[in-house]
Amino acid sequence: MYENSKQVLELIRLRLESLDEVEQDQMKEKERLKNLYENYQKKIAKMEGILKELTGIEYSLYYDIAVKGSTINKAVDKVALDYDVSSSIVWKKHYPKIKSKLE
């Protein structure tokens, strides 16, 4: 009976240790997720702010690249087609205006 009780006591101690480790891991994961959440909130707020200040071709170009995830080349071609202007005009006049906002 004594030996049995000692073994049960040791098992309980080990289980408590294990639970403490799991709890610490969960706290770390929770903190990591909170940081990710905050970073994505800031990123989205920044994108929304940029979209509010842009208009016309710059808006469409930024939207296609940053929001939709299109490649720059595809976005330039699409916007040029949508606005009935040449791709070179979009590259020369409009892309430089949003380039720094994409970083």
Coordinates of all heavy atoms in Angstrom, one line a residue, residues 31-70:
E31 N 0.7 34.5 -26.8 CA 1.4 35.7 -26.9 C 1.8 35.9 -28.4 O 1.7 37.0 -29.0 CB 2.6 35.8 -26.0 CG 3.3 37.2 -26.0 CD 2.4 38.2 -25.4 OE1 1.5 38.0 -24.5 OE2 2.5 39.4 -25.9
R32 N 2.3 34.9 -29.0 CA 2.7 34.9 -30.4 C 1.5 35.2 -31.3 O 1.6 36.1 -32.2 CB 3.3 33.6 -30.8 CG 4.0 33.6 -32.2 CD 4.5 32.2 -32.6 NE 3.5 31.2 -32.9 CZ 2.8 31.2 -34.0 NH1 3.1 32.1 -34.9 NH2 1.9 30.3 -34.2
L33 N 0.4 34.6 -31.0 CA -0.8 34.8 -31.8 C -1.3 36.3 -31.6 O -1.8 36.9 -32.6 CB -1.9 33.8 -31.5 CG -1.7 32.4 -32.0 CD1 -2.7 31.5 -31.5 CD2 -1.6 32.4 -33.5
K34 N -1.2 36.8 -30.4 CA -1.6 38.2 -30.2 C -0.8 39.1 -31.0 O -1.3 40.1 -31.6 CB -1.5 38.5 -28.7 CG -2.7 38.0 -27.8 CD -2.5 38.5 -26.4 CE -3.5 38.0 -25.5 NZ -3.3 38.4 -24.1
N35 N 0.5 38.9 -31.0 CA 1.4 39.7 -31.8 C 1.1 39.7 -33.3 O 1.1 40.7 -33.9 CB 2.9 39.3 -31.5 CG 3.4 39.7 -30.1 OD1 2.9 40.6 -29.5 ND2 4.4 39.0 -29.6
L36 N 0.9 38.5 -33.8 CA 0.5 38.3 -35.2 C -0.8 39.0 -35.5 O -0.9 39.7 -36.5 CB 0.4 36.8 -35.5 CG 1.6 36.0 -35.9 CD1 1.3 34.6 -36.0 CD2 2.2 36.6 -37.1
Y37 N -1.7 38.9 -34.6 CA -3.0 39.6 -34.8 C -2.8 41.1 -34.8 O -3.4 41.7 -35.7 CB -3.9 39.2 -33.6 CG -5.3 39.7 -33.7 CD1 -6.3 39.1 -34.5 CD2 -5.7 40.9 -33.0 CE1 -7.6 39.6 -34.6 CE2 -7.0 41.4 -33.1 CZ -7.9 40.7 -33.9 OH -9.2 41.2 -34.0
E38 N -2.1 41.6 -33.9 CA -1.8 43.1 -33.9 C -1.1 43.5 -35.2 O -1.4 44.6 -35.8 CB -1.1 43.5 -32.7 CG -1.9 43.4 -31.4 CD -1.0 43.6 -30.1 OE1 0.2 43.9 -30.2 OE2 -1.6 43.4 -29.0
N39 N -0.1 42.7 -35.6 CA 0.7 43.1 -36.8 C -0.2 43.1 -38.0 O -0.1 44.0 -38.9 CB 1.8 42.1 -37.0 CG 2.9 42.4 -36.0 OD1 3.1 43.4 -35.4 ND2 3.8 41.4 -35.9
Y40 N -1.1 42.1 -38.1 CA -2.0 42.1 -39.3 C -3.1 43.2 -39.2 O -3.4 43.7 -40.2 CB -2.7 40.7 -39.4 CG -1.8 39.7 -40.2 CD1 -1.0 38.8 -39.5 CD2 -1.8 39.8 -41.6 CE1 -0.1 38.0 -40.3 CE2 -1.0 38.9 -42.3 CZ -0.1 38.0 -41.6 OH 0.7 37.2 -42.3
Q41 N -3.5 43.5 -38.0 CA -4.4 44.7 -37.9 C -3.8 45.9 -38.4 O -4.4 46.7 -39.1 CB -4.8 44.8 -36.4 CG -6.0 44.0 -36.0 CD -6.5 44.3 -34.6 OE1 -5.6 44.6 -33.7 NE2 -7.7 44.3 -34.4
K42 N -2.5 46.2 -38.0 CA -1.8 47.4 -38.4 C -1.6 47.3 -39.9 O -1.8 48.4 -40.6 CB -0.4 47.4 -37.7 CG -0.5 47.8 -36.3 CD 0.8 47.7 -35.6 CE 0.7 47.9 -34.1 NZ 2.0 47.7 -33.4
K43 N -1.2 46.2 -40.5 CA -1.0 46.1 -41.9 C -2.3 46.4 -42.7 O -2.3 47.1 -43.7 CB -0.5 44.7 -42.3 CG -0.1 44.5 -43.7 CD 0.3 43.0 -44.0 CE 1.7 42.8 -43.4 NZ 2.3 41.5 -43.8
I44 N -3.4 45.8 -42.2 CA -4.7 46.1 -42.9 C -5.1 47.5 -42.8 O -5.5 48.2 -43.8 CB -5.8 45.1 -42.4 CG1 -5.5 43.7 -42.8 CG2 -7.2 45.6 -42.8 CD1 -6.3 42.6 -42.1
A45 N -4.9 48.1 -41.6 CA -5.3 49.5 -41.4 C -4.4 50.4 -42.3 O -4.9 51.4 -42.9 CB -5.1 49.9 -40.0
K46 N -3.1 50.1 -42.5 CA -2.3 50.8 -43.4 C -2.7 50.7 -44.8 O -2.8 51.8 -45.5 CB -0.8 50.3 -43.2 CG 0.2 51.1 -44.1 CD 1.6 50.5 -44.0 CE 2.5 51.1 -45.0 NZ 3.8 50.5 -45.0
M47 N -3.1 49.5 -45.2 CA -3.6 49.4 -46.6 C -4.9 50.1 -46.8 O -5.0 50.8 -47.9 CB -3.8 47.9 -46.9 CG -2.6 47.1 -47.1 SD -3.0 45.4 -47.5 CE -1.4 44.6 -47.7
E48 N -5.8 50.1 -45.9 CA -7.0 50.8 -46.0 C -6.8 52.3 -46.1 O -7.4 53.0 -46.8 CB -8.0 50.4 -44.8 CG -8.5 49.0 -44.9 CD -9.3 48.6 -43.7 OE1 -9.2 49.3 -42.6 OE2 -9.9 47.6 -43.7
G49 N -5.8 52.8 -45.3 CA -5.5 54.2 -45.3 C -5.0 54.6 -46.6 O -5.3 55.7 -47.2
I50 N -4.1 53.8 -47.2 CA -3.5 54.1 -48.5 C -4.6 54.1 -49.6 O -4.6 55.0 -50.4 CB -2.4 53.1 -48.8 CG1 -1.2 53.3 -47.9 CG2 -2.0 53.2 -50.3 CD1 -0.1 52.2 -48.0
L51 N -5.5 53.1 -49.5 CA -6.6 53.0 -50.5 C -7.5 54.3 -50.4 O -7.9 54.8 -51.4 CB -7.4 51.8 -50.3 CG -6.8 50.5 -50.8 CD1 -7.6 49.3 -50.3 CD2 -6.7 50.5 -52.3
K52 N -7.7 54.8 -49.2 CA -8.5 56.0 -49.1 C -7.9 57.2 -49.7 O -8.6 58.1 -50.1 CB -8.8 56.3 -47.6 CG -9.8 55.3 -47.0 CD -10.1 55.6 -45.5 CE -11.0 54.5 -45.0 NZ -11.2 54.7 -43.5
E53 N -6.6 57.3 -49.7 CA -5.9 58.5 -50.2 C -5.6 58.4 -51.7 O -5.3 59.4 -52.4 CB -4.6 58.8 -49.5 CG -3.5 57.8 -49.6 CD -2.3 58.0 -48.7 OE1 -2.5 58.3 -47.5 OE2 -1.2 57.9 -49.2
L54 N -5.8 57.2 -52.3 CA -5.5 57.1 -53.8 C -6.8 57.1 -54.5 O -7.9 56.9 -54.0 CB -4.9 55.7 -54.0 CG -3.5 55.5 -53.5 CD1 -3.1 54.0 -53.7 CD2 -2.5 56.4 -54.1
T55 N -6.7 57.5 -55.8 CA -7.8 57.6 -56.7 C -7.4 57.1 -58.1 O -6.3 57.0 -58.4 CB -8.4 59.0 -56.8 OG1 -7.3 59.9 -57.3 CG2 -8.9 59.6 -55.5
G56 N -8.4 56.8 -58.9 CA -8.2 56.5 -60.3 C -7.3 55.3 -60.5 O -7.4 54.3 -59.9
I57 N -6.3 55.6 -61.4 CA -5.4 54.5 -61.9 C -4.5 54.1 -60.7 O -4.3 52.9 -60.5 CB -4.5 55.0 -63.0 CG1 -5.4 55.2 -64.3 CG2 -3.4 54.1 -63.3 CD1 -4.7 55.8 -65.5
E58 N -4.1 55.0 -59.9 CA -3.2 54.6 -58.7 C -4.0 53.7 -57.8 O -3.5 52.7 -57.3 CB -2.7 55.8 -58.0 CG -1.6 56.6 -58.7 CD -2.1 57.6 -59.6 OE1 -3.4 58.0 -59.5 OE2 -1.4 58.2 -60.4
Y59 N -5.3 54.0 -57.5 CA -6.1 53.2 -56.7 C -6.2 51.8 -57.2 O -6.0 50.8 -56.5 CB -7.5 53.8 -56.5 CG -8.5 53.0 -55.7 CD1 -8.6 53.1 -54.3 CD2 -9.2 52.0 -56.3 CE1 -9.4 52.4 -53.5 CE2 -10.1 51.2 -55.5 CZ -10.2 51.4 -54.2 OH -11.0 50.6 -53.4
S60 N -6.6 51.7 -58.5 CA -6.8 50.4 -59.1 C -5.5 49.6 -59.1 O -5.5 48.4 -58.9 CB -7.3 50.6 -60.5 OG -8.5 51.1 -60.5
L61 N -4.4 50.3 -59.4 CA -3.1 49.6 -59.5 C -2.7 49.0 -58.1 O -2.3 47.9 -57.9 CB -2.0 50.6 -60.0 CG -0.7 50.0 -60.4 CD1 -0.8 48.9 -61.5 CD2 0.2 51.1 -60.9
Y62 N -2.8 49.9 -57.1 CA -2.5 49.5 -55.7 C -3.4 48.3 -55.3 O -3.0 47.4 -54.7 CB -2.6 50.7 -54.7 CG -2.2 50.3 -53.3 CD1 -0.9 50.3 -52.9 CD2 -3.2 49.9 -52.4 CE1 -0.5 49.9 -51.6 CE2 -2.8 49.5 -51.1 CZ -1.5 49.6 -50.7 OH -1.2 49.2 -49.5
Y63 N -4.7 48.5 -55.6 CA -5.7 47.5 -55.2 C -5.4 46.1 -55.8 O -5.4 45.1 -55.1 CB -7.1 47.9 -55.6 CG -8.2 47.0 -55.1 CD1 -8.7 47.1 -53.8 CD2 -8.7 46.0 -56.0 CE1 -9.7 46.2 -53.4 CE2 -9.7 45.1 -55.5 CZ -10.2 45.3 -54.2 OH -11.1 44.4 -53.8
D64 N -5.1 46.1 -57.1 CA -4.7 44.9 -57.8 C -3.5 44.2 -57.2 O -3.4 43.0 -57.0 CB -4.6 45.1 -59.3 CG -5.9 45.2 -60.0 OD1 -6.9 44.9 -59.4 OD2 -5.9 45.6 -61.2
I65 N -2.5 45.0 -56.8 CA -1.2 44.5 -56.3 C -1.3 44.1 -54.9 O -1.0 43.0 -54.5 CB -0.1 45.5 -56.6 CG1 0.1 45.7 -58.1 CG2 1.2 44.9 -55.9 CD1 1.0 46.9 -58.4
A66 N -1.7 45.0 -54.0 CA -1.7 44.8 -52.6 C -2.8 44.0 -52.1 O -2.7 43.2 -51.2 CB -1.6 46.2 -51.9
V67 N -4.0 44.2 -52.6 CA -5.2 43.6 -52.0 C -5.5 42.2 -52.7 O -5.6 41.2 -52.1 CB -6.4 44.5 -52.1 CG1 -7.7 43.8 -51.6 CG2 -6.2 45.8 -51.3
K68 N -5.5 42.3 -54.1 CA -5.8 41.0 -54.8 C -4.5 40.1 -54.9 O -4.7 38.9 -55.2 CB -6.3 41.4 -56.2 CG -7.7 41.9 -56.2 CD -8.1 42.2 -57.6 CE -9.5 42.2 -57.8 NZ -9.9 42.4 -59.2
G69 N -3.3 40.7 -54.8 CA -2.1 39.9 -54.9 C -1.6 39.6 -56.3 O -0.9 38.7 -56.5
S70 N -2.1 40.4 -57.2 CA -1.6 40.3 -58.6 C -0.1 40.7 -58.7 O 0.3 41.5 -57.9 CB -2.4 41.2 -59.5 OG -3.8 40.9 -59.6

